[in-house]
Amino acid sequence: MRFLPIILLAISNAFMTIAWYGHLKFTSKPLWLVVLASWAIAFFEYCFQVPANRLGYESGNFTATQLKIVAEVFSLTAFLIFSFTYLGEPIKWNYVVSFVLVLGAVVFAFAFK
């Protein structure tokens, strides 16, 4: 399946966003505890990220750079959704413009193979 690596990258970035930022609502917990919890969550991120990159690269469908660019878009997308829904942060106009510019970078990266 050509787009399996892309799906795996989306899932991996959802896990990583939770690992990196999920603890922000638990500021009363000791730092060492949230670091261990984040590492435990990040394990699952790797279970999706590594196969995504291996499958995408070995198939010849994507370059390593293209896979990284896609992963960054998913990372920003997951974070934007997470910060709005979980952290209750507003989505500001400059964040939207920044995101559109990153999407432009993706189009540019894939336009000239």
Side-chain angles (χ1 to χ4, degrees), residues 17-29:
T17 298
I18 294 167
W20 284 354
Y21 300 102
H23 62 87
L24 294 178
K25 281 199 168 182
F26 301 99
T27 55
S28 64
K29 301 294 181 195

Side-chain angles (χ1 to χ4, degrees), residues 1-3 5 55-63 66-67 110 113:
M1 177 178 200
R2 177 176 163 82
F3 291 101
L55 293 171
Y57 189 77
E58 283 185 347
S59 69
N61 291 325
F62 304 100
T63 66
Q66 288 173 327
L67 290 164
F110 281 85
K113 246 187 164 185

Side-chain angles (χ1 to χ4, degrees), residues 23-79:
H23 62 87
L24 294 178
K25 281 199 168 182
F26 301 99
T27 55
S28 64
K29 301 294 181 195
L31 187 56
W32 68 269
L33 185 61
V34 296
V35 167
L36 288 178
S38 292
W39 281 350
I41 296 167
F43 168 78
F44 295 101
E45 185 267 344
Y46 278 88
C47 289
F48 290 97
Q49 181 83 12
V50 172
N53 287 326
R54 174 71 63 95
L55 293 171
Y57 189 77
E58 283 185 347
S59 69
N61 291 325
F62 304 100
T63 66
T65 304
Q66 288 173 327
L67 290 164
K68 180 60 179 171
I69 291 168
V70 169
E72 291 304 319
V73 167
F74 283 135
S75 179
L76 288 172
T77 302
F79 181 76

